[in-house]
Amino acid sequence: MKFKKIAATLAATVLTLAATACGSGAGSGAQADSGPQDVTLMLNWYPYGEHAPFYYGLDQGIFAKHGINLTVKAGQGSTKTAQAVGSKQVDFGWADTPAVLANIDKGMPIKSVGVFLQTTPSAVQVFADKNINSVADLKGKTIAVSAGDAPTTTFPIFLQRSGLQPNDVKQQNLDAAGKISAMMSGQVDGLIGFAHDQGPTIANKSGKEVKYFRYSDAGLSFYSNGLVVNNALAKEKPELAKKMVAATSEAFAAAQAKPQDAVKSMVGKDPQMPPEPVLLDQWQETTKLLETSATRGKAPGTNADSDWQATIQVLAEAKLIESAKPVDTYFDRSAQPAGS
């Protein structure tokens, strides 16, 4: 999701970052005998603060240390990213788990190898001056949504768990940019989206405080963004999947330790990039999503079967997947970080 109307094609926004040009740390460590492997990663969207670890990991030579020469590409939504992985256009994807599971249900030959955003950032977002102080105050209001995405599809469950009925709130279907424009112009009372993405952007553009009604506060949570791999690649190169997860986990930990440095590594790397203060706000909001009670204190990207099972149940209830299948239908746990 992003705040600008996108006119350019994905090919024009591809960001290539070669880890081999990243300072003295590059080239040490794994795969010294054969050299680093070229690896492509497609993001879920155009770069924003959540993606700071990939840039920082490249800047600090973390991916190179693990034998990976990483190229990062912008995405145009998690579904397209999942499909790009399934058709072997890229090696790995960074995609929202509901979109990944829905595509697996349709026969896409992909699996998650580790979810990093383990609490959904889905939230209703309103301006604080709207006098909407609780979910109950949403009754009769108009909220901008994007039909088919996970926040919209699970919105009725959120309302019911908050004491409202789905028809208590009017929905206006708009694309990602249209939702933000409609909220800022007052055409709608708020929008549904990711609190760590649109919220900081809207606050920066409007100069107004944004209030969030998070799905997780109503006891509704499910996995969000993480790494996805094609089944054939995972089978043919299992060590590569492990190295990618390990490097990403290390990069996330490093970015958590030095958030300002992590964000600075993003600046100027893509024409769609938000301003640095927004990137920092987005990344700091992202760090709140990286663990659950089952994974607290463990390496980023460590997944618990109980969290997977809860996610699968929610998505089945929301009809995003046909039925609740076993965890290993969707998740390849063989690449989990060391010590998981």
Side-chain angles (χ1 to χ4, degrees):
M1 300 178 184
K2 199 48 56 188
F3 51 88
K4 293 182 179 179
K5 187 174 182 180
I6 306 303
T9 63
L10 177 60
T13 63
V14 168
L15 171 66
T16 301
L17 296 169
T20 52
C22 291
S24 59
S28 62
Q31 287 203 340
D33 55 337
S34 58
Q37 291 180 262
D38 291 336
V39 172
T40 50
L41 170 72
M42 181 176 285
L43 301 176
N44 56 308
W45 197 251
Y46 297 87
Y48 58 96
E50 174 189 321
H51 307 130
F54 295 111
Y55 293 79
Y56 193 54
L58 283 164
D59 186 62
Q60 296 297 303
I62 292 172
F63 287 95
K65 183 183 76 174
H66 287 270
I68 292 173
N69 182 36
L70 185 64
T71 297
V72 179
K73 298 185 176 184
Q76 288 186 316
S78 289
T79 292
K80 289 187 177 180
T81 296
Q83 291 169 350
V85 175
S87 60
K88 299 184 179 181
Q89 296 175 44
V90 292
D91 299 312
F92 293 90
W94 182 258
D96 193 29
T97 298
V100 173
L101 268 58
N103 276 277
I104 291 173
D105 249 23
K106 296 172 183 176
M108 191 67 65
I110 58 175
K111 280 190 179 181
S112 170
V113 286
V115 176
F116 284 72
L117 274 63
Q118 299 179 3
T119 300
T120 179
S122 299
V124 180
Q125 305 173 42
V126 300
F127 285 123
D129 62 8
K130 275 283 189 179
N131 199 31
I132 300 174
N133 299 312
S134 68
V135 178
D137 293 333
L138 294 174
K139 189 171 184 177
K141 299 293 191 293
T142 300
I143 301 298
V145 304
S146 293
D149 69 8
T152 301
T153 308
T154 54
F155 185 47
I157 302 174
F158 166 72
L159 290 175
Q160 289 170 336
R161 294 194 182 188
S162 301
L164 293 178
Q165 294 303 311
N167 59 5
D168 286 337
V169 179
K170 300 174 185 177
Q171 298 184 31
Q172 183 170 336
N173 184 37
L174 297 166
D175 63 17
K179 288 193 300 186
I180 292 177
S181 296
M183 178 171 164
M184 292 185 63
S185 65
Q187 296 175 37
V188 297
D189 298 295
L191 61 78
I192 293 172
F194 285 175
H196 73 312
D197 179 7
Q198 294 109 326
T201 297
I202 293 169
N204 177 263
K205 282 182 167 292
S206 66
K208 298 166 67 174
E209 180 184 355
V210 175
K211 182 181 293 184
Y212 306 103
F213 301 110
R214 302 173 190 271
Y215 289 17
S216 57
D217 290 341
L220 175 62
S221 193
F222 44 91
Y223 273 164
S224 186
N225 291 340
L227 288 171
V228 187
V229 68
N230 187 286
N231 293 343
L233 186 148
K235 183 177 180 180
E236 295 164 7
K237 300 180 180 180
E239 290 304 312
L240 179 59
K242 291 179 181 178
K243 289 174 183 177
M244 184 63 180
V245 173
T248 302
S249 181
E250 185 176 337
F252 264 76
Q256 281 184 278
K258 294 186 176 181
Q260 292 178 327
D261 289 348
V263 165
K264 283 185 182 299
S265 70
M266 301 184 74
V267 175
K269 299 291 176 59
D270 188 279
Q272 302 293 339
M273 198 83 72
E276 187 175 345
V278 176
L279 290 171
L280 181 59
D281 196 0
Q282 290 174 328
W283 171 239
Q284 290 176 325
E285 287 297 318
T286 300
T287 62
K288 301 174 184 178
L289 309 172
L290 301 183
E291 62 181 18
T292 68
S293 58
T295 59
R296 190 161 294 128
K298 296 187 177 182
T302 300
N303 290 182
D305 271 16
S306 58
D307 292 330
W308 266 106
Q309 289 161 356
T311 293
I312 292 165
Q313 289 294 335
V314 167
L315 300 186
E317 181 182 351
K319 306 301 182 185
L320 274 164
I321 56 176
E322 291 182 4
S323 62
K325 298 180 180 66
V327 172
D328 59 10
T329 305
Y330 310 107
F331 174 49
D332 180 353
R333 59 176 54 81
S334 66
Q336 284 286 271
S340 298

